[in-house]
Amino acid sequence: GAKRSTPEGVVDVDPIPQWYDGGLAAMFPKIDDGTVLVSPVSIRSPTNLVICPKWVGGEAGLKIGSRGMTADSSTNNLVGVKNMIMPQESKEYERIFAGAYDDAKRVCKEAGLVPA
């Protein structure tokens, strides 16, 4: 397909949405200004919409990566990190999935992407 040059490198220009698993390895790769970041822990990005658990810690947060992103320093976020690393029981995954669905609805409403 067609290619486009970006600050992050050359990317394919494709009308079909693409999914990238950047995680901690690539610190949430940004393809363009429309890139939506999805995270199992609370983070903030100065440039992109982020679907993640609600931020409950202090305003400052912890700086991560080199693109101005911050992570919530609350106990809730530490539990989220533990859940990423250590396998959970099926019931816990169901609870986490339900929470993530609610987070996606909340973020989309706050961003005006769906009716309130």
Side-chain angles (χ1 to χ4, degrees):
K3 305 255 186 225
R4 180 176 59 153
S5 181
T6 70
E8 288 79 18
V10 176
V11 296
D12 287 323
V13 177
D14 193 338
I16 299 171
Q18 296 182 20
W19 304 91
Y20 295 88
D21 183 5
L24 296 177
M27 293 309 298
F28 306 100
K30 177 181 174 183
I31 306 306
D32 58 31
D33 288 339
T35 301
V36 176
L37 305 176
V38 179
S39 174
V41 296
S42 298
I43 61 170
R44 288 183 179 152
S45 168
T47 59
N48 292 85
L49 179 64
V50 180
I51 295 176
C52 66
K54 190 168 180 110
W55 188 284
V56 296
E59 281 302 308
L62 304 169
K63 183 177 187 271
I64 56 173
S66 61
R67 293 198 345 246
M69 295 177 65
T70 54
D72 187 347
S73 58
S74 70
T75 302
N76 288 355
N77 236 25
L78 293 176
V79 170
V81 170
K82 178 189 81 71
N83 289 340
M84 289 185 329
I85 297 170
M86 301 171 68
Q88 303 299 306
E89 297 293 325
S90 292
K91 289 288 185 196
E92 181 65 7
Y93 279 124
E94 290 172 16
R95 186 192 67 74
I96 291 169
F97 179 84
Y101 180 79
D102 291 342
D103 290 332
K105 289 192 314 186
R106 174 185 49 81
V107 170
C108 289
K109 283 180 184 176
E110 290 171 357
L113 300 174
V114 295

